[in-house]
Amino acid sequence: MTLFKVTTHSLMLLSAVLISFASIASPPKEIFWEDLIPQGHVQIDTQAQANHEGSEQNWVQPDLDAPVVKALDGQSVSLPGFVVPLEGDSELITEFLLVPYFGACIHVPPPPPNQLVHVTIKGGVPIDSLYDAIVVTGVIKTQTWSGEIAQVGYQMQAVGVAPFEL
């Protein structure tokens, strides 16, 4: 009977270790901007407004209460987008907003909070051109952040940044 308990315990411990290694080794989930909007939520299209498309009657303030997808909290993801630098120097950027289209947050109105990600990366990353799309990989959190130019619905501690390639 003791041998059975030890074997069962050992198998359970081995299973837990294997599951832990599998979760570490699993690749990040590739997501896109529409994945940051809860299913069924009607989102205001602020990109058309930023590009000065449509009539002035369509210009509205962004939905500051735009809901986030709680199921993404704590997941390892990769998300393409564009950089709006917040902190860094001429060589490296250590903090930035990841936005869905070039010029977001520079034009008024900014995208809704659930279409903005506040990103920090230890050691910083060089960004050659703000016009080029990138892919950021890291752990996403459904935590708000507020700065001078925008209110944000997601935060990410980045572990990697790469050029976006089709």
Side-chain angles (χ1 to χ4, degrees):
M1 182 128 168
T2 307
L3 179 60
F4 178 74
K5 285 183 181 179
V6 171
T7 304
T8 304
H9 180 71
S10 297
L11 287 175
M12 289 173 42
L13 182 60
L14 179 60
S15 295
V17 169
L18 290 175
I19 290 169
S20 295
F21 281 129
S23 65
I24 292 170
S26 64
K29 178 180 179 181
E30 184 178 8
I31 62 171
F32 298 95
W33 292 96
E34 59 270 12
D35 297 322
L36 301 180
I37 302 169
Q39 210 167 19
H41 177 72
V42 177
Q43 192 80 15
I44 298 169
D45 180 14
T46 57
Q47 183 174 3
Q49 296 173 15
N51 292 334
H52 304 288
E53 296 172 6
S55 66
E56 285 188 25
Q57 68 184 1
N58 293 333
W59 281 62
V60 295
Q61 290 298 315
D63 181 5
L64 295 180
D65 294 324
V68 296
V69 177
K70 298 284 187 185
L72 289 173
D73 193 50
Q75 287 193 24
S76 177
V77 300
S78 64
L79 177 66
F82 293 88
V83 171
V84 176
L86 297 174
E87 290 290 329
D89 56 32
S90 62
E91 303 282 323
L92 300 172
I93 296 174
T94 56
E95 181 181 357
F96 58 92
L97 295 181
L98 188 66
V99 298
Y101 53 88
F102 176 75
C105 295
I106 296 170
H107 300 284
V108 176
N114 65 7
Q115 293 293 281
L116 298 169
V117 180
H118 176 253
V119 179
T120 55
I121 185 164
K122 291 182 182 177
V125 63
I127 301 294
D128 295 330
S129 173
L130 298 179
Y131 296 100
D132 296 334
I134 61 168
V135 176
V136 179
T137 301
V139 175
I140 194 164
K141 299 282 186 190
T142 55
Q143 296 175 338
T144 60
W145 178 89
S146 187
E148 289 181 26
I149 60 175
Q151 187 173 355
V152 177
Y154 294 95
Q155 293 189 43
M156 184 186 297
Q157 177 61 52
V159 294
V161 174
F164 176 73
E165 297 181 21
L166 293 174

